[in-house]
Amino acid sequence: GGVLLVEALLYEDNSGPLTAQLYSLNMLVQTEGRERKASDYSGLLNAAGFTHVQIHNTGKIYDVILARK
């Protein structure tokens, strides 16, 4: 099996992009959630038993994460 995630990823130093930072702030205020960095998703997916995690930064609002189990 596999998983496809479409997310607004933060840069590794949490500096942006601006859209992802605003989404993160909105989620923090409304749901106590937050946007994550690519390395955060890789760690979570690996811990859940997924392998071959691929991060595709699209240069658009949303990025793509693929992983197989």
Side-chain angles (χ1 to χ4, degrees):
V3 65
L4 167 68
L5 302 172
V6 178
E7 275 292 335
L9 295 173
L10 293 169
Y11 297 147
E12 287 302 314
D13 64 358
N14 291 319
S15 66
L18 180 60
T19 305
Q21 288 178 321
L22 291 173
Y23 286 163
S24 188
L25 178 61
N26 184 51
M27 287 176 35
L28 180 64
V29 170
Q30 293 186 11
T31 66
E32 298 181 23
R34 63 181 172 85
E35 294 294 343
R36 299 178 190 279
K37 302 176 287 194
S39 59
D40 295 333
Y41 277 106
S42 291
L44 290 169
L45 290 165
N46 287 327
F50 287 90
T51 59
H52 302 20
V53 177
Q54 300 173 16
I55 309 295
H56 297 281
N57 292 322
T58 65
K60 306 292 182 195
I61 293 174
Y62 296 108
D63 300 299
V64 176
I65 305 162
L66 302 166
R68 286 186 275 165
K69 198 167 199 182

